[in-house]
Structure formats: structure tokens, C-alpha cells
Amino acid sequence: EEWSQGKALVRPPDQMELTEAELKEDITRILTANNPHAPQNIVRYSVKERSYKPINVVDQMAVHCVLEGSLVHQDSEEARKLRFDLRYKCLFVGFPQVNPIVDGGDVEETGDEDRPDSAVSRINKKEPKVTNQFNFSNRASQTLNNPMRDRICQTEPPPRSSFSATANQWEIYDAYVQELQKQEKNKEKQKGMHSQKDNGKSKKVMLMETQSEDVTKWTMASKILERTISQNTFDDIAQDFKYFEDASDEFREQEGTLLPLWKFQYDKAKTLSVTALCWNNKYQDLFAVGLGSYNFSRQGCGMLLFYSLKNPAFPEYIYPTSSGVMCLDIHAQHSHLVAVGFYDGCVAVYSLKEEGQEPVYKSTAKTGKHTDPVWQVRWQSDDMDNNHNFYSVSSDGRVVSWTLVKNELVFTDIIRLTLSGAVSEGTEGAQGGVSSGTSFDFHKQIDYMFLVGTEEGKIHKCSKTYSSQFLETYGAHSMAVDTVKWNYFHPKVFVSCSSDWTVKIWDHTINTPMFVFDLQAAVGDVAWSPYSSTVFAAVTTDGTVHVFDLSVNKYEAICQQLVVDKKKTKLTHVEFNPIHPVIIVGDDRGYVTSFKLSPNLRKKPKAKKGHELPKGPEVEVAKMEKLLSLLREPDQNSG
């Protein structure tokens, strides 16, 4: 009675023991049709795109067994052909009729009536039609195949010439750039032709295109001709620029004069003021003019112009701007790059090599533009990645570094100016209010050191690497600092000017000014000369240019000359030419006037008999140091 006893489960000794929770856990397994052995990195050559492309769709079918059988479906076309062939052989050839085995059917047994020699088959069998044995011929037609012909044309061989050249990487790049430019021009022409055809003006477009092509061919020649005519027109001024020296300077030992040369003006910029001037270091006859407005209640459009001394009649380049230009700077090495600061807080970079009137780089609110007018921009040496960069200062208290990366400007806040001190980039919330920056300049030898002038009249000595605190603060002026500039030769000296009528010379190691000059009018700008460490020029709002030479006279200017035609005209900026004894002066009516310095304004010390006059920057440094040593206290001279 084993069946009545309960059946016990027998567990194998190696069975895993699981808990109740593990036993109740649902483990899902998903079966997919993907073949795990199918390759996923198949690459095929695309003739259309001329490159290898990965294949996304991979065949996932895996064939495990293949057996080729001889069975045919009875309703298929192949089965019908087999039946017809068997019947034909039975009727005409005399083979016994056999039912084909289709779809696994059994072989039917043939009786006596199916045998060819039986009486039944003889009765049912139809006699085949016997052909005529005497004049029988198969119906056939034979076509005539045309003979093959070779067509050969004899032409003159194309002219050949042997050519050899070395292909460098930049030559290949230039060739590709030229080809792309040609393709773009052709596309533009085609677009213009199609659009004009739709309007029924295709003939006019063709005429305009041919005219534009003719104009481009003669652009360079016409520019040379225009300069020639301009030089002939102003031949007396050109002769004065090159040869004239004021002979009366021999009778005036400590006085000099300014000889007016060319006057530059642009009709569309008569309502704008000259807000910036800058010479090109590579092409010394070319200078840039920024046009805007210092009347902050009447702001509008601005303009960036480039003039040449070779053609004072018309600007070389014209760039209209949507906001007033407040400052600009031309790159020292790459003279085609111009950094510009605007009244609306934007900074931009223009390239003279690019066609069109738009900047190649421009800051936006998204990329960290200033919220107040930009008062100064200065190019600096390239960074570690050889990217160009420049600095800007604005009334919002920010000193910002801008780096040209690919097609955008990347900004970095260097320092934030506050009334209580400097605030570094990482801190939030400036204590004591924001201090408005109005001007700045970088040291000529020490790359990290720069000066910042503020609207409160203070000058801060700062460092790029130490942005949390000022290195030094000078209580310079009682009004806004309009300009601050380092001396080209002496590493310790800088000059500042303000609307409080004063120009001051400083030693950055001393908190008090070394020289103070009261010019009896608001000072718009001041500039050091590039040929002497003791010569500088300043312009005032009463239309006067003041030229100082501290080695000649430490107390007053050796040249004070009124250079405007109208009494209400205010001078705004002044700049020395890098190599020629020429200065340019801008006013609030959009005019730029050039002047030649008389010999007394660029006089060099006379050499003693039998002694050669030393030359070089060391002489200029020693000349300024001699003046400073007379003004310093004994302990400062020893230090």
C-alpha cells in the first residue's frame, strides 16, 4: 500500500537553498530577436558622400539548418511545368504516363489500361501527326547582323607644358580659400539673377554685374590716382610736412610753434565729436578716429573712420555703428585688428581685412557686456594658447579681459572697483558702492601692472594676478580722471589729467605728484611723445594745445597755441605720430587737425666738442631721472 503513503520531495544534495523572499521574487527574462553574434561596426563606402559610413541596420537572422528538397507544391508554376513535360513525353515520345509525386502524395498503381501495349491504351491513344517526309522544312528566319564599326576622330593634341612647384600647407590652404570665395561669388550671382528674373529685370542685373566687375578691376588704380590728385592739390602742405622747419626757433630758445597741416573731416560725421584717436604702428600714415558724443542726453549713432596722411580728402575705411564710439585701440603686431568700446557697454573687434561694415567679434548681454559706457580699451600680449586678448574699463566698475576664441569673445572679470577698495571676481556684492572707471593704461615693461583712473578723481595701481586689493591708491584729482598714461621710457613715471584744469606727473613709488600744471581750462587729453621722455602734450576745452618739455622748462609749457577757428569749439583728444614730428588733435565738431612740431619742441641736447652724443632709451631714462632726483627727498633718492 505504498500509494496511500504521502510522497516526500527528494532534494538533490547540491541544490541551492533559498529564502521565502528569494523564492517569491520574480525574475524576468526577455527573449529578443537580436543576434548577439551579429557585428555592430560594419562600415561601407558611400559614393554619394565620398566617405565610409557605418551601417545602422544589421541582419539579425541566424540560419541553423538548410536542407534542399525535391518536393514541389502542386499549385505552383513549377509543378504545372513538370506535368506538361510528362504529358508531352508520353504523347510524342512514347514514355509511359506517370503521375508526378507532388506534396508527399503516394505513387498510384498503374493498371493494364495504362500500359502502352494494352488494348485500352491503343483505343484511347491519338496518333501523332506525321510530318511531310518529302518537302518538310523548319520555319526559321535568319537576320543579318550589321558588322561592327569603329569610329575614330583625329584631333590635335592639347598643348602641354612642364610645371614644377613646392606645395606647402599654407599654399594649399590659400588655394582652397580662393576656390571657396569663387564658389560663394557664383552662388550670390546666381541668386541675384534668379531673383531679378522673377521680377523681369535680368538684363539690368547682368549689366550691373559686369559694371561691378569692371569697377573692382580699377579700384586699386583709381585709389592711386585719387591719392596723386590729392597730393597735387595739397602740394604746399606736403612740402611743409617733409621739408619746412621754422627758422624763427633759432631766436626763441625756450618756445616752439605748431604748423597746421591737413584737416580731416567727413560730411556725415559733422554732428559727432572725436572721442578717440590712435595711430597704426605698422603703417605710420594711417590713424583711426572714433566718433560719438560726450553729451549724454543726446546719444545716437557713432562712426569708426580710418584716415591716411596720403589722402586727407576722404577716409580710407568707414564703419558706421549703432552706438557712439567712446574708445579704440589698434593692435601693435596685427595692425588690421581694432578693438572698440561703445557707449551702450559693448566692445567689438573690427578687422580691416574683412569685407563689410560689421565687426568680426562683438560682446552681448549674454557674453558679459558692460552695463555702462566703455571708456578705455587696450590690447595685451597673447595668452598661453596664442589667443588675442584686450582689456576694457567702464563706468560700471569692471575691468574685464576679453579673449578672441574662434568666433566669440570670452570675458573674464579682472577686478571690480568700489569706493571702499577692490573686489575680486569671486566675491559677490560690493560694499560701499561702485567706483566708476574712466581710464586705464598698462605698464610698458611690467606686463601685469596697470593704472585705473576713476570718476572720483582717484588713481588705483592694480595687478592682473592680485585682484582682491589695490597695490596703491593716489588721491590725484578733485574731478574725474580723463586720462592716465605711463611714460614710454622711464618705468616709474606716469601722467594724468582731469577736468579740474590740472595735469600731474607721478612717480608710482611716491603718493604725491612730482609736477603739477594748471592749464586754466578743463583738460580733455594728455599724451607722451614717443621720441623724448620729458615731452608731452595736452589739449583743453578752450581750444588750446599745450606742449611741455620738462628738460627745458619745468614750470610752464614751451608752446601754447590756439588751434580752433571758432571760440566754442572744444578739443577732446591728442596723439603723437610714432615716427614723424606730427600730432593730430580732435575736437567736438568731428574735425581732426594735424600739426608739425617746430624744432624747439623736439630739440635734442647739443653734443660737446670731441664727444659723441649718446643715443638710446637709457639716455631718455637718465634725463627724466635727473629731473626726479631734484624733486625727491634724500631718503627717497637713496631708496
Side-chain angles (χ1 to χ4, degrees), residues 231-242 244 261-262:
Q231 290 183 11
N232 290 335
T233 305
F234 303 101
D235 181 63
D236 53 344
I237 299 178
Q239 296 293 329
D240 291 344
F241 164 74
K242 195 165 186 180
F244 180 78
L261 297 176
W262 300 280

Side-chain angles (χ1 to χ4, degrees), residues 18 84 111 135 150 167 194 217 241 278 349 357 364 386 439 446 470 499 562 591-592 605 616 622 633 637:
L18 301 174
F84 180 78
N135 55 359
D150 293 336
H194 288 304
K217 292 179 181 178
F241 164 74
C278 186
V349 176
Q357 297 179 341
T364 60
N386 292 327
S439 60
I446 306 173
F470 299 133
S499 299
L562 187 67
Y591 291 93
V592 178
E633 296 180 2
N637 285 326

Side-chain angles (χ1 to χ4, degrees), residues 549-560:
D549 189 347
L550 301 179
S551 63
V552 176
N553 192 332
K554 299 187 289 294
Y555 305 105
E556 61 182 2
I558 61 175
C559 176
Q560 295 183 14

Side-chain angles (χ1 to χ4, degrees), residues 399 413-427 448-452 459-474:
V399 178
D413 283 349
I414 300 300
I415 199 170
R416 291 178 182 269
L417 306 175
T418 62
L419 297 177
S420 58
V423 178
S424 60
E425 180 184 356
T427 57
Y448 62 83
M449 186 185 298
F450 63 96
L451 298 169
V452 180
I459 298 176
H460 302 294
K461 182 168 67 174
C462 309
S463 173
K464 295 181 187 177
T465 57
Y466 189 67
S467 59
S468 62
Q469 188 175 346
F470 299 133
L471 301 180
E472 191 73 48
T473 299
Y474 310 92

